[in-house]
Amino acid sequence: MKFWKASCLTLLVSVSFAPTGAFADDRFTCWAPTAAQAAFTADYWTDERRRNAIPAPGLLPESGMPGGDVHSLEGTEVKLAPIKEAPFKFGGKLFFSLGGIDQAASAQFVSDDKIIIGAAHAMWLNGDQASNVVFYPGYDGAPGEAYPIEMASVLTAWTKIPQVPGLAAAAVDYAVMRSTKASTSGKFQLRLAKVPEKTELTLMGYPGRLDGGEYMFLEDPSISVSDATAYEAKPHPMYGGGASGGAWFLPAENKAFEIFSVVSNGSPSNVKGPHFTHETEEMIEYVKGGCK
């Protein structure tokens, strides 16, 4: 099995998007590509564009630099994920354009064969939204089949708060998307029950500083903060961009893998993510129905 040790920080950048219109439920902010844009997206992601897409940097503090102590990772490991096995095969790499910059992050199928969950900051940031959004499940050094996104949504609360690192932002930092095609590899089930502190979990994603973000990796941190809205886990050797939106999950119970959070923001010493709630379930149903 392939292992990586924690090393230096990656360069992070900030980006911006364009505004959206209103939909039926004002708790959720949705947008959909036009027919012309959807057709364009199918051909947009050439091999060159995928190679040049930068790892989505996540949320930056006002100083513009990530915090955390790299030395806190001494002795920790990041492992190459067995991408053809459940639940890793439910996940993949998400490509999108933000402010004219092509980027990549992590995401996975959840609850429904056409529903994908990732990070809100990969879809909407500082008032602007993503375009050219396409998901490649099972991405493993090569793209495989493309799943264009025909509908995307974030919590409207996400669009109204300061989008800087911390538990407050993490609590609403997730996006629900609908693909034009159904998953053939399976999906996570959604977990709403709180995961207690000191619980060891598995986190998966495509950290850009490891093999250029071409392969899925996993880490096994433990919950350090668990409240009604957000989680924190320590440590986070997959820091540095690209793992944004990657699943947090526990060992399978009754052969079902349950996702309870996604990567929002963090540092080498910790990672934060939302606590999924009944509102998450309602958001999934809303997006399934075309945000109507």
Side-chain angles (χ1 to χ4, degrees):
M1 178 173 285
K2 188 171 185 177
F3 295 85
W4 279 85
K5 295 288 185 179
S7 59
C8 61
L9 292 170
T10 56
L11 177 65
L12 303 181
V13 299
S14 61
V15 295
S16 62
F17 310 65
T20 69
F23 280 76
D25 191 327
D26 61 8
R27 294 177 301 164
F28 312 124
T29 296
C30 290
W31 64 100
T34 63
Q37 185 187 44
F40 175 72
T41 297
D43 299 321
Y44 180 80
W45 289 102
T46 62
D47 289 344
E48 182 178 7
R49 281 198 171 106
R50 284 191 297 268
R51 284 195 302 270
N52 292 332
I54 68 167
L59 304 180
L60 296 178
E62 293 181 356
S63 66
M65 291 299 294
D69 181 7
V70 177
H71 298 295
S72 67
L73 299 177
E74 186 174 348
T76 65
E77 293 177 323
V78 180
K79 304 173 186 177
L80 192 65
I83 192 67
K84 297 188 183 300
E85 299 177 11
F88 305 100
K89 66 180 182 178
F90 308 156
K93 198 166 181 179
L94 190 70
F95 288 87
F96 48 93
S97 301
L98 297 176
I101 301 173
D102 292 336
Q103 300 192 43
S106 306
Q108 46 279 315
F109 286 107
V110 179
S111 294
D112 181 87
D113 288 336
K114 287 189 175 182
I115 291 296
I116 296 160
I117 291 184
H121 69 257
M123 291 290 99
W124 176 290
L125 193 65
N126 299 326
D128 296 332
Q129 68 193 36
S131 61
N132 301 323
V133 187
V134 66
F135 181 58
Y136 292 96
Y139 191 102
D140 193 34
E145 186 176 4
Y147 285 65
I149 299 303
E150 62 182 0
M151 185 69 66
S153 179
V154 298
L155 291 165
T156 300
W158 167 255
T159 72
K160 298 181 180 298
I161 64 168
Q163 292 163 357
V164 295
L167 286 172
V172 289
D173 189 3
Y174 62 90
V176 176
M177 296 159 273
R178 190 180 73 186
S179 170
T180 59
K181 295 183 287 188
S183 169
T184 59
S185 57
K187 58 187 178 292
F188 279 101
Q189 298 303 313
L190 191 69
R191 177 189 172 105
L192 305 184
K194 182 189 288 189
V195 177
E197 293 180 5
K198 300 183 179 179
T199 301
E200 186 174 293
L201 63 124
T202 300
L203 188 157
M204 69 191 206
Y206 291 82
R209 64 185 186 81
L210 304 182
D211 285 349
E214 285 293 294
Y215 301 94
M216 182 186 286
F217 285 82
L218 66 90
E219 65 183 33
D220 298 304
S222 295
I223 299 290
S224 52
V225 175
S226 175
D227 65 26
T229 62
Y231 295 103
E232 179 187 84
K234 297 181 178 181
H236 182 41
M238 281 166 48
Y239 70 93
S244 294
W248 300 31
F249 64 94
L250 301 177
E253 296 183 7
N254 300 320
K255 298 185 178 179
F257 287 94
E258 295 183 325
I259 181 174
F260 66 91
S261 188
V262 294
V263 174
S264 169
N265 65 86
S267 67
S269 57
N270 69 76
V271 58
K272 299 175 178 65
H275 177 175
F276 292 147
T277 66
H278 289 294
E279 189 171 50
T280 313
E281 284 186 315
E282 293 164 1
M283 187 175 178
I284 288 172
E285 290 302 312
Y286 188 61
V287 174
K288 279 172 62 176
C291 294
K292 298 176 182 178

